Amino acid sequence: MNSSAESLRGARLLGRRHAGGWSSRMAFILAAAGSAVGLGNVWKFPYIAGEYGGGAFVLVYLACIGLIGLPILAAEIMIGRRGGGSPIHSFESLAAREGHSKNWRVIGWIGIGCAFLILSFYSVVAGWSLSYLWFVVDGQIAAAGSESHDVALAMGDLFANLLASPAALLAGHTLIMGITMLIVAGGIRSGLERAVCWMVPGLFLLLIALVVYAAATTGRFTSAITFLFKPDFSALSWEAVLVALGHAFFTLSVGMTAMMAYGSYLKRHVSIGKASFAIAGLDTLVALLAGLAIFPIVFAQGLEPGAGPGLIFVTLPIAFTEVPGGSLVAMLFFLFLAIAALSSTISILEPVVEYLEQRRAWTRPKATTVMGTSIWMLGISSVLAFNVAADVTVFGMNLFDFLDFVTSNLLLPLGGLLIAIYAGHVLSREALADELGLGESRLLEIWRFLLRYLTPVGVGAVLIYNLI
Ligand code: PHE
């Protein structure tokens, strides 16, 4: 098949599976990068890096990305492309073709459960960026910035007030779930494709501008570099290692078969090895840029690096009120963040819907409505965890933290572990070499070694240690 015919076929496949279809040749990289880059990079990475003491945590995180996340990312995409269907269907067809047990489809089941839980709280946080977009428009951010007293305190109050309002949180959560469901059900895909095309570069440029601003005006850029990159291993706990590992999975969107679903649309001639490097590299860069934009402001304002989930919402608005044209910058920032979050939420809902469509023969709108509404309902527990149900705890965590913990720190690593064992020990070496597309190189051997030995031992040890 010549390449234009092939890309047409790819577009049609995408069109069928993702009603409306990603049409360009960059479809896969864009969709996968859109899934990876999201709240995990801009919201979660800085706040957990702050909570777990900076440097040593960041180093462990980077090691987890390179040595564990990246090999599993490639493995997931590969299983998706070779299997060619929804994740569960892919494991079944590979079992038939390569002669192994069908039971590996349990990985797809874990992924579906995990997607359900992640989306419920992710959507609530994505809603915060919509609330902040509104705060820019109605002047609340400018007002907090212009107050003669402590700006950091005023921004802190703004965030605390948002969390204290179930109605405001519910509105954001509902909007995000609504848009996600519309997109997944098949309405405005071409619009999303266009949005994602400029969103990734747009967010990237804005973050660079914010880093430059933070470096030039706060006088605390070197403190931020020291905090983020100078490891102090005495501050590193086992819990921090687990969180770093879990976040490596979360930020790369691996461990719950989202990348497998996207991989099933990938054309044969694309090298999965190279594509994975590009996705993981971009994702890491965005996270580090977010950290470099935020921590100088944290230190200059005397804020607490471990302030928790509100970190970016308290720090960045301070920068926005101080630069000329700050309101426009703020609007663009929260808009890009919301779109970055949406390109992740659709990748989380997609495998769940796709499964019901194929297994139960439900129509796409029906599957989307049923699953989306159920996830929205579960999300209400995260909405209330910040206010009326703040005292309700499970294993000492509020409902929001609990959902985050169970998914990022248990289910994603467990899914990743099984994917590594499957790709490393069940699939043949020839299959791996064929799919990875790096030829008979040393890279192939290194990759296979990481999948077969380092990942199972490393992830297994961290999981077991933390469970007991
Ligand atoms: N990777 C996304 C982020 O960093 C979140 C995500 C997790 C998306 C799991 C898909 C699957 O925001």
Side-chain angles (χ1 to χ4, degrees), residues 213-399:
Y213 160 81
T217 64
T218 59
R220 298 302 300 271
F221 196 60
T222 39
S223 320
I225 301 252
T226 311
F227 180 75
L228 282 172
F229 298 112
K230 189 160 175 258
D232 167 12
F233 287 101
S234 65
L236 193 70
S237 60
W238 268 102
E239 187 189 327
V241 175
L242 176 71
V243 172
L245 178 73
H247 187 62
F249 285 100
F250 184 87
T251 191
L252 292 178
S253 308
V254 300
M256 54 146 274
T257 70
M259 288 298 186
M260 217 177 271
Y262 279 0
S264 64
Y265 315 133
L266 190 58
K267 283 172 254 150
R268 289 284 327 155
H269 62 82
V270 178
S271 155
I272 289 179
K274 286 184 198 150
S276 305
F277 267 111
I279 295 161
L282 181 71
D283 188 76
T284 307
L285 206 58
V286 173
L288 294 179
L289 283 175
L292 286 174
I294 286 157
F295 283 105
I297 305 175
V298 171
F299 294 126
Q301 297 286 337
L303 292 163
E304 194 41 61
L311 193 66
I312 68 158
F313 294 97
V314 175
T315 51
L316 290 182
I318 298 178
F320 298 145
T321 57
E322 286 179 358
V323 292
S327 294
L328 184 68
V329 181
M331 252 157 72
L332 287 177
F333 179 81
F334 290 118
L335 184 68
F336 288 170
L337 188 59
I339 296 174
L342 281 168
S343 63
S344 301
T345 55
I346 59 161
S347 78
I348 308 177
L349 187 56
E350 179 63 34
V352 182
V353 165
E354 192 180 38
Y355 171 72
L356 285 172
E357 227 186 350
Q358 296 186 356
R359 240 336 107 78
R360 296 268 185 98
W362 285 4
T363 63
R364 203 171 172 84
K366 177 177 173 191
T368 310
T369 310
V370 171
M371 294 320 285
T373 314
S374 319
I375 293 171
W376 174 80
M377 277 160 62
L378 180 63
I380 295 176
S381 63
S382 290
V383 164
L384 301 180
F386 292 103
N387 36 68
V388 294
D391 295 336
V392 179
T393 57
V394 190
F395 296 111
M397 289 170 262
N398 71 30
L399 294 169

Side-chain angles (χ1 to χ4, degrees), residues 142-154 301:
S146 67
E147 284 174 34
S148 48
H149 60 268
D150 193 337
V151 180
L153 205 68
Q301 297 286 337

Side-chain angles (χ1 to χ4, degrees), residues 25-51:
R25 298 183 73 220
M26 283 287 283
F28 172 75
I29 299 277
L30 270 182
S35 168
V37 174
L39 297 170
N41 311 62
V42 181
W43 161 71
K44 197 171 174 191
F45 170 74
Y47 107 71
I48 55 177
E51 252 174 18

